[in-house]
């Protein structure tokens, strides 16, 4: 099988596509064919060696923390061939081989089915950056959010800011206000449907909030936005694009492409 593996810590070029043995599931596991996998800034941090476990003993390592796969062989009654599942695991891409590969054997107990109405790319994008769970917990557990409240979510270009806004809309916010650090990011956000954006390069936060508090946003569903999808063979370029070009939306890879 093809996998993106780094055998040394360093630059983007260390994301090398290698031909590795296909894993075999044991009792209680399923064999997955990976469909779409996430790329996160932490993947770049891990490969560059800027983390506590960057030792020779932790090499070589297959990158990738999350993704979506389909069951092609099962040794568990919990899943059938053809089931699509969210894929993540403890230490993936850091202390354990991750999702940037064509096939992976996983314990069935750690998998969740992907809803039928969500395609592979958007399902994988839901997992990238952990913005949805962080946003949900921040609103419900810390802010004690109630419908019709106004939500301010700084940093619309980041996972937490963007996805907190979508959670707030879904929970019934009367308005969701965002911030962007540049006019370029502000324009990208507005083009993506995020109307109430404060351009901090042109306006102070408090002035922008005062200007917008009489507006309104229509409630909507959760919809991750995707900038680019690369084939697995272009992993080095994909990570470079995420880190250096800093696209507004998600960057993914197709493991079967």
């Amino acid at each position: 099988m093809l996998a993106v593996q780094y055998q040394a810590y360093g630059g983007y070029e260390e994301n090398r596509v290698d031909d590795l043995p296909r894993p075999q599931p044991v009792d209680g596991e399923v064999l997955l064919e990976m469909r779409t996998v996430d790329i996160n800034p932490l993947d770049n941090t891990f490969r560059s060696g800027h983390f506590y476990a960057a030792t020779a003993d932790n090499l070589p390592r297959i990158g990738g923390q999350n993704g979506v796969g389909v069951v092609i062989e099962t040794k568990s009654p919990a899943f059938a061939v053809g089931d699509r599942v969210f894929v993540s695991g403890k230490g993936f891409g850091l202390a354990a081989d991750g999702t940037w590969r064509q096939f992976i054997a996983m314990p069935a107990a750690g998998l969740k089915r992907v809803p039928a109405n969500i395609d592979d790319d958007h399902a994988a994008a839901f997992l990238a950056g952990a913005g949805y769970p962080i946003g949900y917990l921040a609103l419900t557990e810390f802010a004690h959010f109630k419908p019709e409240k106004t939500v301010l979510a700084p940093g619309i270009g980041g996972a937490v800011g963007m996805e907190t806004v979508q959670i707030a809309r879904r929970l019934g916010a009367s308005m969701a206000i965002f911030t962007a650090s540049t006019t370029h990011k502000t324009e990208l956000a507005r083009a993506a449907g995020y109307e109430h954006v404060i351009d901090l390069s042109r306006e102070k936060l408090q002035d922008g909030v005062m200007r917008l508090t009489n507006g309104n946003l229509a409630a909507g569903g959760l919809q991750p936005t995707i900038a680019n999808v690369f084939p697995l063979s272009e992993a080095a370029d994909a990570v470079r694009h995420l880190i250096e070009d800093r696209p507004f939306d998600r960057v993914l890879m197709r493991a079967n492409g």
Side-chain angles (χ1 to χ4, degrees):
M1 69 168 183
L2 297 181
V4 179
Q5 183 185 69
Y6 56 91
Q7 300 186 15
Y9 302 111
Y12 305 119
E13 68 279 358
E14 297 299 336
N15 287 310
R16 304 178 188 276
V17 179
D18 293 324
D19 192 358
L20 301 177
R22 176 168 158 169
Q24 299 297 321
V26 299
D27 288 344
E29 291 187 338
V30 298
L31 180 64
L32 303 171
E33 181 181 12
M34 296 304 298
R35 293 287 185 80
T36 304
V37 294
D38 300 334
I39 306 173
N40 292 297
L42 279 177
D43 295 313
N44 187 66
T45 301
F46 296 161
R47 188 217 62 254
S48 62
H50 298 152
F51 70 105
Y52 68 92
T55 66
D57 293 337
N58 202 27
L59 294 172
R61 180 65 62 219
I62 297 174
Q65 300 171 66
N66 306 292
V68 170
V70 61
V71 177
I72 60 171
E73 182 181 343
T74 181
K75 292 194 174 182
S76 166
F79 292 94
V81 171
D83 286 345
R84 292 188 309 138
V85 295
F86 293 106
V87 184
S88 62
K90 183 178 180 180
F92 267 18
L94 171 60
D97 284 336
T99 57
W100 291 0
R101 46 179 153 167
Q102 290 182 306
F103 302 98
I104 185 171
M106 289 284 295
L111 300 174
K112 300 293 183 183
R113 287 180 176 82
V114 176
N117 62 334
I118 303 177
D119 63 48
D120 295 336
D121 291 353
H122 285 91
F126 268 113
L127 301 177
Y132 287 111
I134 292 173
Y136 180 79
L137 290 173
L139 289 172
T140 59
E141 298 296 323
F142 293 97
H144 303 293
F145 176 85
K146 301 294 183 184
E148 301 304 318
K149 284 190 174 182
T150 297
V151 172
L152 171 63
I156 187 59
V160 175
M162 185 186 305
E163 291 157 14
T164 296
V165 163
Q166 293 192 35
I167 292 289
R169 288 177 173 179
R170 191 68 171 176
L171 293 177
S174 62
M175 174 182 288
I177 300 173
F178 333 107
T179 67
S181 58
T182 67
T183 300
H184 177 63
K185 288 184 178 180
T186 300
E187 292 171 350
L188 288 175
R190 288 173 177 159
Y194 297 91
E195 180 182 356
H196 298 287
V197 185
I198 300 171
D199 181 352
L200 295 178
S201 68
R202 295 185 173 185
E203 186 176 27
K204 292 182 179 180
L205 176 62
Q206 58 268 36
D207 294 338
V209 171
M210 291 296 293
R211 175 176 56 82
L212 292 169
T213 48
N214 290 327
N216 189 28
L217 279 176
L222 305 182
Q223 180 71 15
T225 50
I226 299 169
N228 289 290
V229 182
F230 289 78
L232 201 66
S233 59
E234 297 179 11
D237 290 336
V239 178
R240 182 184 293 107
H241 174 56
L242 175 70
I243 300 302
E244 295 186 0
D245 297 338
R246 299 180 65 84
F248 182 73
D249 302 316
R250 292 284 175 270
V251 178
L252 308 171
M253 289 191 294
R254 288 215 178 92
N256 58 352

